[in-house]
Amino acid sequence: MNAMKKLIAGNWKMNGSRADNAALLAGIAAGLPANACDVLVCPPAVYIADVVQALQGTAVMVGSQDVSAADKGAFTGELSAAMLADCGVRYAIVGHSERRLYHGETDAVVGAKAQAALAKGITPIVCVGETLEQREAGETQAVVKRQLAGAIHAVAHCVSEIVVAYEPVWAIGTGKTASPEQAQEVHAVLRAQLAAATEQSGRVRILYGGSMNAANAQTLLAQPDIDGGLIGGAALKAADFLTIIQAAS
Ligand code: 13P
């Protein structure tokens, strides 16, 4: 498990502009350590082609923040996995809590999106995580297991090809990070669930997300089942993102 290369992924959410993105990417590329961990940025879809071009010749990969479950056709506003792959996308975040909350995405929809991504050679980053209410009610493990079960069911024999991201909803954008122990506890539960589904569960990277930053990344990433990070706010500042990459490399 520990031998696997960590993945640091920046989820830019709905932030940036052509000028901001160019400056951010130049800063990241300039400071990228030799032998860095795997590094991914997920810009708003409208900038994906620009970002792919700007990162040519670097080791930084590009992901999308979402993907359609459908192949093609009358789905206004949607982007298919084939289109994303065509534009150089390697990973797709699916089931982010903001998509679940604001766009009503169910575990079944998230599973279908993960499957659609895999079918076109894109690695889905399946997000799971409990709300504060659910944590306080003692439901954390049941919630994340149900969410992951939906994805495991949908991707069937391809479980070892996915990435999982544990993002406690109460830690996202709040500055309240899960403690390394709290995060590790959930990651271990997810690892066990993956192990029941595939002999190759040790290959599946489980990322932590939720107020991960330059100051707390190192201790989180030192946990045995934390294989990287899905970073929001701190991924918008080159210096902070690079510090997190250093901690994971
Ligand atoms: P923050 O790092 O801003 O808390 O966001 C985490 C997140 O939602 C990444 O997908």
Side-chain angles (χ1 to χ4, degrees):
M1 252 170 259
N2 285 326
M4 126 175 81
K5 224 178 187 189
K6 287 189 173 18
L7 171 63
I8 296 298
N11 175 7
W12 294 2
K13 307 192 179 183
M14 197 168 71
N15 293 294
S17 65
R18 291 182 117 170
D20 290 349
N21 302 348
L24 176 57
L25 294 170
I28 294 169
L32 208 61
N35 296 320
C37 62
D38 286 342
V39 180
L40 176 73
V41 293
C42 302
V46 70
Y47 296 126
I48 283 174
D50 275 357
V51 171
V52 167
Q53 194 168 19
L55 290 172
Q56 250 165 24
T58 77
V60 180
M61 300 178 285
V62 181
S64 63
Q65 299 175 15
D66 186 29
V67 59
S68 177
D71 261 2
K72 63 192 271 193
F75 299 96
T76 301
E78 295 277 281
L79 299 169
S80 73
M83 292 170 186
L84 293 167
D86 192 24
C87 291
V89 161
R90 307 273 298 276
Y91 289 79
I93 298 170
V94 297
H96 191 281
S97 61
E98 290 149 18
R99 302 285 319 169
R100 292 178 189 263
L101 180 63
Y102 304 133
H103 301 272
E105 292 189 10
T106 61
D107 294 334
V109 167
V110 174
K113 289 184 169 195
Q115 174 57 27
L118 281 172
K120 300 299 176 202
I122 293 175
T123 302
I125 301 176
V126 178
C127 300
V128 303
E130 81 288 1
T131 62
L132 184 59
E133 204 177 20
Q134 290 165 330
R135 174 162 281 267
E136 288 176 345
E139 294 168 4
T140 298
Q141 296 193 8
V143 169
V144 300
K145 282 164 93 170
R146 189 200 69 225
Q147 292 171 331
L148 182 56
I152 287 174
H153 176 75
V155 306
H157 61 280
C158 295
V159 176
S160 66
E161 307 298 317
I162 71 173
V163 171
V164 177
Y166 170 54
E167 297 206 312
V169 177
W170 49 270
I172 295 176
T174 58
K176 285 187 204 150
T177 321
S179 70
E181 296 74 24
Q182 280 174 323
Q184 168 57 28
E185 188 181 7
V186 176
H187 280 233
V189 167
L190 298 170
R191 179 85 61 202
Q193 189 177 3
L194 290 163
T198 171
E199 282 173 11
Q200 301 193 69
S201 63
R203 278 186 52 189
V204 179
R205 290 186 285 199
I206 308 178
L207 315 182
Y208 170 78
S211 298
M212 192 188 262
N213 59 38
N216 63 27
Q218 188 134 30
T219 40
L220 285 160
L221 292 165
Q223 299 300 310
D225 289 299
I226 300 187
D227 309 312
L230 184 53
I231 326 293
L236 299 173
K237 297 178 206 127
D240 290 7
F241 194 54
L242 285 166
T243 301
I244 298 170
I245 291 167
Q246 289 279 7
S249 300

